[in-house]
């Protein structure tokens, strides 16, 4: 999509909170991705059209798997989350209201390690990110992703909230229309 819009995409990887900070304010960056749509984020950057979606859920150790129906069912567990991530409006509100206990990690990899080490009962994670992280850790067999999702959220590029960012967002959105995301 960036190429179709006439841009060359260069990426940099960092912990999420640093990624957001750099992508939002640093003159060396034009934005960051992937970002979930939230009302709060929409105020702080120019969000592109959707570049995909994310199914968020709870991963547990197979030997300690549990089921849940309502978010309130999760209140008896401490769940690992990544610092700075949105985990869906309902989940985030329950955390803010202290109805859910969470343990912060700087990344999905660290969060997954905490789960594998038994430091948390479950982690909130995107299903595809979990698959990728477990394949790199060679621990696929130890973890299960609960079939009940916490949320399904759209993914976006978050361009800096300035005139240049608005132009880039508009051009990127035009480029998206030229790309088959399922094949990209």
């Amino acid at each position: 999509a960036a190429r179709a819009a006439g841009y060359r995409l260069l990426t940099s990887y960092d912990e999420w909170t640093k990624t957001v900070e750099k992508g939002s304010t640093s003159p060396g960056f034009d934005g960051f991705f992937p970002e979930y749509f939230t009302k709060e984020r929409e105020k702080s950057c120019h969000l592109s059209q959707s570049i995909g979606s994310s199914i968020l859920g709870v991963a547990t150790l197979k030997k300690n798997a549990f089921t849940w129906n309502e978010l309130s069912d999760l209140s008896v567990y401490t769940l690992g989350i990544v610092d700075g991530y949105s985990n869906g409006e309902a989940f985030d509100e329950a955390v803010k209201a202290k109805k859910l206990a969470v343990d912060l990690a700087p990344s999905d990899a660290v969060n997954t390690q905490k789960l594998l080490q038994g430091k948390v009962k479950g982690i909130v994670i995107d299903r595809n990110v979990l698959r990728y992280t477990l394949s790199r850790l060679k621990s696929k067999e130890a973890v299960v992703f609960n079939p009940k999702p916490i949320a399904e959220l759209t993914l976006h590029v978050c361009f800096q909230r300035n005139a240049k960012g608005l132009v880039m967002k508009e051009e990127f959105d035009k480029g998206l229309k030229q790309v088959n995301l399922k094949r990209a």
Side-chain angles (χ1 to χ4, degrees), residues 124-174:
V124 177
I125 191 166
D126 171 272
R127 182 174 58 195
N128 292 326
V129 171
L130 177 67
R131 284 184 191 139
Y132 173 77
T133 303
L134 291 174
S135 72
R136 294 187 49 98
L137 296 173
K138 308 213 181 341
S139 301
K140 291 189 259 198
E141 302 306 314
V143 176
V144 63
F145 188 81
N146 190 290
K148 180 164 180 62
I150 285 179
E152 184 168 352
L153 304 170
T154 56
L155 299 166
H156 305 266
V157 176
C158 182
F159 292 98
Q160 289 187 3
R161 191 136 190 99
N162 55 34
K164 179 182 176 189
L166 180 58
V167 169
M168 292 185 81
K169 173 244 186 281
E170 290 170 348
E171 291 178 5
F172 183 84
D173 286 348
K174 288 178 191 172

Side-chain angles (χ1 to χ4, degrees), residues 26-143:
S26 175
F29 293 83
D30 295 309
F32 62 93
F33 72 95
E35 178 61 274
Y36 297 136
F37 175 87
T38 66
K39 292 173 186 169
E40 181 180 317
R41 185 61 70 203
E42 189 177 41
K43 293 175 187 172
S44 64
C45 67
H46 297 293
L47 289 171
S48 72
Q49 294 296 311
S50 175
I51 58 172
S53 65
S54 169
I55 297 176
L56 285 173
V58 177
T60 61
L61 293 175
K62 280 185 182 176
K63 65 182 181 181
N64 298 330
F66 56 82
T67 58
W68 63 280
N69 292 309
E70 304 293 327
L71 282 177
S72 60
D73 297 340
L74 298 172
S75 66
V76 297
Y77 306 105
T78 296
L79 300 175
I81 64 171
V82 176
D83 189 19
Y85 277 16
S86 171
N87 293 299
E89 193 173 325
F91 186 91
D92 292 346
E93 286 299 319
V95 170
K96 190 185 278 186
K98 300 194 184 304
K99 293 179 180 176
L100 294 176
V102 296
D103 182 80
L104 299 178
S107 68
D108 285 305
V110 171
N111 212 19
T112 303
Q113 286 285 11
K114 284 182 176 184
L115 176 65
L116 292 168
Q117 294 165 0
K119 293 180 179 178
V120 291
K121 291 292 184 186
I123 59 173
V124 177
I125 191 166
D126 171 272
R127 182 174 58 195
N128 292 326
V129 171
L130 177 67
R131 284 184 191 139
Y132 173 77
T133 303
L134 291 174
S135 72
R136 294 187 49 98
L137 296 173
K138 308 213 181 341
S139 301
K140 291 189 259 198
E141 302 306 314
V143 176

